[in-house]
Amino acid sequence: MYRDRIRMPSLESKIISPQAAAAMISDGMTIGMSGFTKSGDAKVVAPALAERAQHEKIKITLLTGASVSDEIDSTLTKAGVLARRMPYQGDPTLRKAINAGEVMYVDQHLSETVEMLRSNQINGIDIAIIDATAITENGGIVPTTSVGNSASFAILAKKIIIELNVAQPLGLEGLHDIYIPTHRPTREPVPVVSPDSRVGTTYIPIDPSKIAGIVIADKRDNPVKLEAPDADTKAIASHLIEFLKHEVKVGRLTNRLAPLQSGVGAIANAVLHGFADCPFHDLTMYSEVIQDSVFDLIDTGKLVFASATAYSLTQSCWDRFYANFETYKKHMVLRPQEISNHPEVIRRLGLIAINTALEADIYGNVNSTHVGGTHMMNGIGGSGDFAGNAYLTTFVTKSIAKNGAISSIVPMVTHVDHPEHDVDLLITEQGLADLRGLAPRERAKVVIDNCVHPDFKDALRDYYKEALKRGGQTPHVLEKAFSWHTAFRETGDMKKAF
Amino acid sequence: MYRDRIRMPSLESKIISPQAAAAMISDGMTIGMSGFTKSGDAKVVAPALAERAQHEKIKITLLTGASVSDEIDSTLTKAGVLARRMPYQGDPTLRKAINAGEVMYVDQHLSETVEMLRSNQINGIDIAIIDATAITENGGIVPTTSVGNSASFAILAKKIIIELNVAQPLGLEGLHDIYIPTHRPTREPVPVVSPDSRVGTTYIPIDPSKIAGIVIADKRDNPVKLEAPDADTKAIASHLIEFLKHEVKVGRLTNRLAPLQSGVGAIANAVLHGFADCPFHDLTMYSEVIQDSVFDLIDTGKLVFASATAYSLTQSCWDRFYANFETYKKHMVLRPQEISNHPEVIRRLGLIAINTALEADIYGNVNSTHVGGTHMMNGIGGSGDFAGNAYLTTFVTKSIAKNGAISSIVPMVTHVDHPEHDVDLLITEQGLADLRGLAPRERAKVVIDNCVHPDFKDALRDYYKEALKRGGQTPHVLEKAFSWHTAFRETGDMKKAF
């Protein structure tokens, strides 16, 4: 049975039920599950564990690559199984539990989790549960549609449970490039020198005696829903592309640009989509996630290669991918998220990084995570890995939210994920602020002039004028810095502050 | 004349007066000067330029490595010559002008300035002015007591003025290791794999035809004044060392620890001084600056090698260095600050980074730069390069300032240079907060319990309790988050807020 997928015959006897796998998990354990933006996540054992938790107390620490499907985060939250969660999530049920203080959420840079695990700075993985296409002759694990943290989870875990996913095509084999940094103090350079560098193995090398069970899974990834580009996201894309054209014109870039990184979600996808109509060519991508727009750019020949750690696709794009699998595979590689997001490689390649801001302030500080400074939305994800090390760090956001009750550009952000030092460009549908080489007082002017919605522009100018009277490198009126947020909390409209 | 220092005979004719050198500078130019923590700074042409500015309007953009001496920043500020300044300063006169909005100050990560220059993202260097020990047979520049940004300034500048410093011993030659990252998109890994790696040349390779003038200088570096360790800084050092002993005990580190990085200034120096009495041995350092304490650690045999980009020494330590030059030289190397602070190398080596916070908040966000959120102190320096990429990111500060009118631990920092994501340890004389793997609500507890001065502890607990009622991942009461700062501004005492 499954000879083409379990190629080490001695492992055939390890096939067990999801319930038997879930029974291996004890209260207090740390579990590392595969999964990144709902791709390649281990969807079979988690519901069985939630089922078990109906009858006995089980609290675990759950680590993943990034966000995972309902079957995992939502189900385990409802079952009360999650004590602690890292490094990223995007689930409404879990989010609520996090903000209520019921689940301790450690919001980490996505490149750092396995670095901390490897050096024993956080509790080690008791059991790794990995969605797999196949097990090789030597017991290696061939991942499915994401690598995420799966490789190091499996390598560092005491035991491994494999969810052998027979719904995933065997042709996924060869898509992955598994490279693990060597141990300190004798660590060597990460040898990736271009988005298409292949420097590792096509499988996760493990000690097969650690495989405690193999559960047969038969379910492809849950597709994502993605809003279509609208007038605002098209305007944001257009501002970025005009800027890049100018950069080419003045000789700072060529028409091949530099490897692109794009955050996850509707705005980032729409921005990338905007590259379809541009004079640039032979583009490459060194990013976290491959979204629908990447397939469009490959189809039109604009993009020649994409390196990432996972997919995040709508159903129609999944269908398109699987229907033309061998063609797309030539243009793509999936790496561990430690490598897709590695500061060393990001700095070396000189990326153009495009990520979404929740809010930004007049000096270019960016909040990616906290609504009203207190309530977690999703997490910082890889944005910090990229923002701190890219050639060009860009944050995009629509200038207003909630039908104009919120301005995304505020006097002072309520939570800083990306300090002004790291932010080069800020783009809204209103326009683009090029902050490179500017002092804060100059930044305030270009941000207010170019990025702010007309409904908030005068008020922001007034705030800044009042702040200037206080002086300083970064003028502020501290007692009014959050008055817009306070007004929104109390009245539902930031504009009530002025 | 100066045959031992000007070894390319054709350059002898380039010797000019400081006034003639200053005359090459025009209004609107961008000037790159050597100098880092007052070491190896170009001290001769700047005063001549200030003199000239008495009679004609000259405004320049000045780039250096980091802080430079009075002769440069103070003199040029008083003469009204500085229009724009980057990436770091520490001069009281200049600071005042910056905070008054008279000088546009661009506060950058110290590893990034030449990266932006190389890719033409900021205005190019018209003239580089470099303090030099000698000029080699092939026209290469041998720096003096810092490398800083000198190498790339000289390589990228249109013209070079050399301040040939005959007061500096020729024996400095061989101390430097000049490696410049190759151009993108074909950049290779930075080959530094250990603090004592030597991967470049001992001089700055330039096109000698760019040398527009050689000015003879005869002045060693201005020494720094350093407060002696006091009870508080000794307590901070002791907390860190006890923590590291524990890390060794549980097997996360060996007694060789990991390469140390230490920020500049009295507290960091005192902390490093504390390593003299510890069970650790064969220590290495991969840092920005070599302070007095490093010499002590070398003398006692605790530290075997220190890599940095500059010195920052008191007069007695300079005397000691020069008196035992050949011995110390074997234990040290000076690199370009792009390499001493390179994210790639910092991550690879896995540094223990120790930097000073101006203030920190209950969630571990750190402000390194802005007093009261508005007024610049010095700048972020290299702390962001290290904090974002180290194995262990530590911030140290005394728990109170201004005789207890200020708590260094506040509800919310007024400026974020280092987001909570990047901060592992927070240490005051009160104790140490180990934040690794903790969610914000857990962080608040350990920070308040361990780091806060007794005069502020109850008030901070009250703030946090009230914030908890609002809920969220990171509970805050926005309208009170800065009330301590506002009270200090209005009454001179943060305690008036409660």
Side-chain angles (χ1 to χ4, degrees):
Chain A
M1 252 176 91
Y2 309 115
R3 282 267 158 98
D4 51 344
R5 292 182 184 262
I6 305 177
R7 297 188 207 131
M8 185 180 227
S10 60
L11 292 175
E12 278 183 30
S13 62
K14 302 273 188 175
I15 295 176
I16 56 174
S17 68
Q19 290 70 27
M24 294 180 188
I25 298 169
S26 312
D27 185 50
M29 274 190 173
T30 297
I31 307 296
M33 282 191 194
S34 67
F36 197 109
T37 49
K38 301 191 183 183
S39 287
D41 42 9
K43 290 178 282 288
V44 175
V45 177
L49 177 64
E51 185 68 32
R52 201 184 131 206
Q54 309 259 329
H55 317 289
E56 59 182 304
K57 187 203 155 215
I58 307 174
K59 287 273 187 191
I60 64 167
T61 293
L62 177 62
L63 281 69
T64 58
S67 57
V68 287
S69 299
D70 285 4
E71 289 98 323
I72 303 171
D73 269 340
S74 185
T75 306
L76 291 178
T77 302
K78 284 176 190 157
V81 172
L82 296 184
R84 183 174 296 273
R85 183 77 176 84
M86 58 183 93
Y88 188 86
Q89 62 78 37
D91 183 85
T93 307
L94 174 54
R95 180 182 301 138
K96 210 173 153 192
I98 286 168
N99 285 321
E102 293 158 14
V103 177
M104 292 294 104
Y105 177 49
V106 187
D107 178 25
Q108 293 181 313
H109 297 303
L110 295 189
S111 78
E112 286 196 346
T113 309
V114 298
E115 192 80 276
M116 293 192 82
L117 274 175
R118 190 179 295 127
S119 53
N120 300 311
Q121 293 198 89
I122 50 178
N123 284 341
I125 303 282
D126 294 297
I127 301 179
I129 309 179
I130 310 292
D131 189 53
T133 303
I135 303 169
T136 64
E137 290 73 3
N138 56 357
I141 303 168
V142 179
T144 59
T145 50
S146 71
V147 179
N149 283 325
S150 299
S152 286
F153 283 175
I155 290 167
L156 297 169
K158 292 176 198 147
K159 287 185 191 176
I160 303 166
I161 294 169
I162 289 175
E163 293 195 1
L164 190 74
N165 197 334
V166 297
Q168 291 289 8
L170 270 170
L172 280 168
E173 194 166 355
L175 182 65
H176 315 92
D177 185 56
I178 311 295
Y179 176 88
I180 306 293
T182 55
H183 271 276
R184 295 166 178 151
T186 54
R187 185 176 290 182
E188 296 291 318
V190 177
V192 175
V193 294
S194 142
D196 62 356
S197 290
R198 284 196 163 266
V199 298
T201 54
T202 56
Y203 56 86
I204 302 167
I206 54 150
D207 170 3
S209 72
K210 291 203 304 184
I211 297 176
I214 298 171
V215 176
I216 304 302
D218 188 3
K219 190 170 188 313
R220 287 197 179 167
D221 295 326
N222 293 307
V224 297
K225 289 198 177 75
L226 207 56
E227 288 166 48
D230 60 22
D232 285 346
T233 56
K234 280 180 189 165
I236 292 171
S238 162
H239 297 316
L240 176 61
I241 285 166
E242 286 307 309
F243 168 84
L244 291 172
K245 278 190 204 167
H246 175 78
E247 293 294 290
V248 172
K249 199 174 158 194
V250 298
R252 280 194 280 261
L253 289 169
T254 71
N255 266 324
R256 295 184 173 208
L257 300 182
L260 302 169
Q261 178 266 329
S262 165
V264 185
I267 296 182
N269 186 62
V271 168
L272 215 55
H273 197 87
F275 280 85
D277 295 314
C278 73
F280 315 127
H281 57 79
D282 294 299
L283 299 175
T284 59
M285 171 167 251
Y286 195 84
S287 195
E288 224 174 64
V289 167
I290 293 174
Q291 289 192 273
D292 286 24
S293 48
V294 174
F295 284 80
D296 297 336
L297 293 175
I298 289 175
D299 285 350
T300 59
K302 282 281 171 204
L303 189 92
V304 293
F305 201 86
S307 166
T309 192
Y311 294 94
S312 176
L313 304 179
T314 62
Q315 188 57 55
S316 71
C317 198
W318 276 122
D319 295 343
R320 184 170 158 200
F321 183 23
Y322 283 119
N324 300 280
F325 198 66
E326 291 306 319
T327 306
Y328 287 121
K329 235 176 91 174
K330 287 176 205 151
H331 298 280
M332 295 172 176
V333 65
L334 295 187
R335 308 178 188 281
Q337 69 194 66
E338 184 181 14
I339 304 300
S340 66
N341 291 26
H342 204 294
E344 171 174 341
V345 181
I346 293 165
R347 181 88 164 225
R348 181 179 303 146
L349 300 184
L351 304 192
I352 296 173
I354 307 157
N355 290 286
T356 308
L358 192 66
E359 65 177 5
D361 68 27
I362 54 173
Y363 297 113
N365 298 285
V366 169
N367 173 8
S368 299
T369 53
H370 283 71
V371 176
T374 54
H375 283 63
M376 175 56 60
M377 177 61 82
N378 297 328
I380 191 168
S383 58
D385 292 320
F386 292 104
N389 296 291
Y391 157 77
L392 195 70
T393 295
T394 305
F395 281 93
V396 296
T397 178
K398 295 185 183 188
S399 70
I400 50 172
K402 302 261 178 205
N403 294 317
I406 287 175
S407 171
S408 304
I409 315 293
V410 293
M412 181 187 264
V413 290
T414 50
H415 186 92
V416 177
D417 293 293
H418 310 291
E420 32 123 351
H421 311 280
D422 289 335
V423 181
D424 296 318
L425 299 185
L426 190 60
I427 313 179
T428 70
E429 81 288 350
Q430 300 290 320
L432 176 150
D434 180 358
L435 306 175
R436 295 175 297 174
L438 298 189
R441 287 171 186 236
E442 298 167 312
R443 293 180 154 227
K445 192 177 160 12
V446 299
V447 169
I448 296 173
D449 285 353
N450 298 334
C451 299
V452 178
H453 190 275
D455 289 356
F456 292 90
K457 204 174 254 195
D458 286 344
L460 215 39
R461 283 209 177 104
D462 290 344
Y463 174 83
Y464 180 61
K465 250 185 241 170
E466 189 178 349
L468 272 178
K469 290 182 197 150
R470 300 266 175 104
Q473 161 84 349
T474 305
H476 268 301
V477 183
L478 286 190
E479 55 289 18
K480 293 187 180 174
F482 297 145
S483 59
W484 294 19
H485 300 88
T486 304
F488 179 79
R489 184 175 165 273
E490 285 165 4
T491 70
D493 191 348
M494 279 191 174
K495 291 193 287 294
K496 289 290 190 315
F498 50 86
Chain B
M1 253 178 90
Y2 310 115
R3 282 268 156 96
D4 52 344
R5 291 181 185 263
I6 305 178
R7 297 188 206 131
M8 186 179 227
S10 61
L11 292 175
E12 278 183 30
S13 62
K14 302 272 188 177
I15 296 177
I16 56 174
S17 68
Q19 290 71 28
M24 294 178 187
I25 298 169
S26 313
D27 185 49
M29 273 190 172
T30 297
I31 306 296
M33 282 191 193
S34 68
F36 197 109
T37 51
K38 301 191 183 184
S39 287
D41 42 9
K43 290 178 282 287
V44 175
V45 177
L49 177 64
E51 185 67 32
R52 200 184 132 206
Q54 308 259 327
H55 316 291
E56 58 181 304
K57 188 203 153 215
I58 308 174
K59 288 273 187 191
I60 65 166
T61 294
L62 176 64
L63 281 68
T64 58
S67 57
V68 288
S69 299
D70 285 3
E71 289 98 321
I72 303 171
D73 269 339
S74 186
T75 305
L76 292 177
T77 302
K78 284 175 190 157
V81 171
L82 296 183
R84 183 175 296 273
R85 182 77 176 84
M86 58 184 92
Y88 187 86
Q89 63 78 37
D91 183 85
T93 307
L94 173 55
R95 180 182 301 140
K96 211 174 150 189
I98 287 169
N99 285 320
E102 294 158 12
V103 177
M104 292 294 104
Y105 177 49
V106 187
D107 178 25
Q108 291 181 315
H109 297 302
L110 295 189
S111 78
E112 287 196 346
T113 309
V114 299
E115 192 80 275
M116 292 191 82
L117 274 174
R118 189 179 296 127
S119 52
N120 300 311
Q121 293 199 88
I122 49 178
N123 284 342
I125 304 282
D126 293 297
I127 302 180
I129 309 179
I130 311 292
D131 190 53
T133 302
I135 303 170
T136 63
E137 291 73 4
N138 57 355
I141 303 169
V142 180
T144 58
T145 50
S146 70
V147 178
N149 283 325
S150 300
S152 286
F153 283 175
I155 290 167
L156 297 169
K158 293 177 196 146
K159 287 184 190 177
I160 303 166
I161 294 168
I162 289 175
E163 292 196 2
L164 190 75
N165 197 334
V166 298
Q168 291 289 8
L170 270 169
L172 280 169
E173 194 167 353
L175 182 66
H176 316 92
D177 185 56
I178 311 295
Y179 175 87
I180 306 293
T182 54
H183 272 276
R184 294 165 178 152
T186 53
R187 185 176 288 181
E188 296 291 318
V190 177
V192 174
V193 293
S194 141
D196 62 356
S197 290
R198 284 196 163 267
V199 298
T201 54
T202 56
Y203 56 86
I204 302 166
I206 54 152
D207 171 2
S209 72
K210 291 203 303 185
I211 298 177
I214 299 171
V215 175
I216 304 303
D218 188 4
K219 191 171 186 314
R220 286 198 181 166
D221 295 327
N222 293 306
V224 297
K225 289 197 178 77
L226 209 55
E227 288 166 48
D230 59 21
D232 285 346
T233 57
K234 281 179 189 165
I236 292 171
S238 161
H239 296 316
L240 176 61
I241 285 166
E242 285 308 309
F243 168 84
L244 292 172
K245 279 190 205 167
H246 175 77
E247 294 294 291
V248 172
K249 199 174 157 193
V250 299
R252 281 194 279 261
L253 289 169
T254 73
N255 266 324
R256 298 185 172 206
L257 301 181
L260 302 170
Q261 178 267 329
S262 164
V264 185
I267 296 182
N269 186 62
V271 168
L272 213 55
H273 196 88
F275 280 86
D277 296 313
C278 73
F280 314 127
H281 56 78
D282 294 298
L283 299 175
T284 59
M285 171 167 252
Y286 194 84
S287 195
E288 224 173 63
V289 167
I290 293 173
Q291 289 192 272
D292 287 23
S293 48
V294 174
F295 284 81
D296 298 336
L297 294 175
I298 289 174
D299 285 351
T300 59
K302 282 281 173 205
L303 189 92
V304 293
F305 201 86
S307 166
T309 193
Y311 295 94
S312 176
L313 304 179
T314 63
Q315 188 58 55
S316 70
C317 198
W318 277 121
D319 295 343
R320 185 171 158 199
F321 183 22
Y322 284 119
N324 300 279
F325 198 66
E326 291 306 320
T327 307
Y328 287 122
K329 235 176 90 174
K330 287 176 207 152
H331 299 281
M332 295 172 177
V333 65
L334 295 187
R335 308 179 189 279
Q337 71 194 65
E338 184 181 14
I339 304 300
S340 67
N341 291 25
H342 204 294
E344 172 174 341
V345 182
I346 293 165
R347 181 88 163 225
R348 182 180 303 146
L349 299 184
L351 303 192
I352 296 173
I354 307 157
N355 291 286
T356 308
L358 192 66
E359 66 176 6
D361 68 27
I362 54 174
Y363 297 113
N365 298 285
V366 169
N367 174 6
S368 298
T369 53
H370 283 71
V371 176
T374 54
H375 283 63
M376 176 54 61
M377 178 60 83
N378 297 328
I380 192 169
S383 58
D385 292 320
F386 292 105
N389 296 290
Y391 157 76
L392 196 70
T393 296
T394 306
F395 281 93
V396 296
T397 178
K398 294 186 184 187
S399 70
I400 50 172
K402 302 259 178 207
N403 295 314
I406 287 174
S407 173
S408 305
I409 315 293
V410 292
M412 182 188 263
V413 290
T414 50
H415 187 92
V416 177
D417 293 294
H418 310 291
E420 32 122 353
H421 310 280
D422 289 335
V423 181
D424 295 318
L425 298 185
L426 189 60
I427 313 179
T428 69
E429 80 289 350
Q430 300 290 322
L432 177 150
D434 180 358
L435 306 175
R436 294 175 297 175
L438 299 188
R441 288 172 185 234
E442 299 167 311
R443 292 179 155 227
K445 190 174 162 15
V446 299
V447 169
I448 296 173
D449 285 353
N450 297 335
C451 299
V452 179
H453 191 275
D455 289 357
F456 292 90
K457 203 173 255 194
D458 286 344
L460 216 38
R461 283 209 178 104
D462 290 343
Y463 174 84
Y464 179 62
K465 247 184 243 170
E466 189 179 346
L468 273 178
K469 289 181 198 150
R470 300 264 176 105
Q473 161 86 346
T474 305
H476 268 301
V477 183
L478 286 190
E479 54 289 18
K480 292 187 181 177
F482 296 145
S483 60
W484 294 19
H485 299 88
T486 304
F488 179 79
R489 184 175 165 273
E490 285 164 3
T491 70
D493 191 347
M494 277 188 175
K495 291 193 288 292
K496 291 290 191 314
F498 51 86

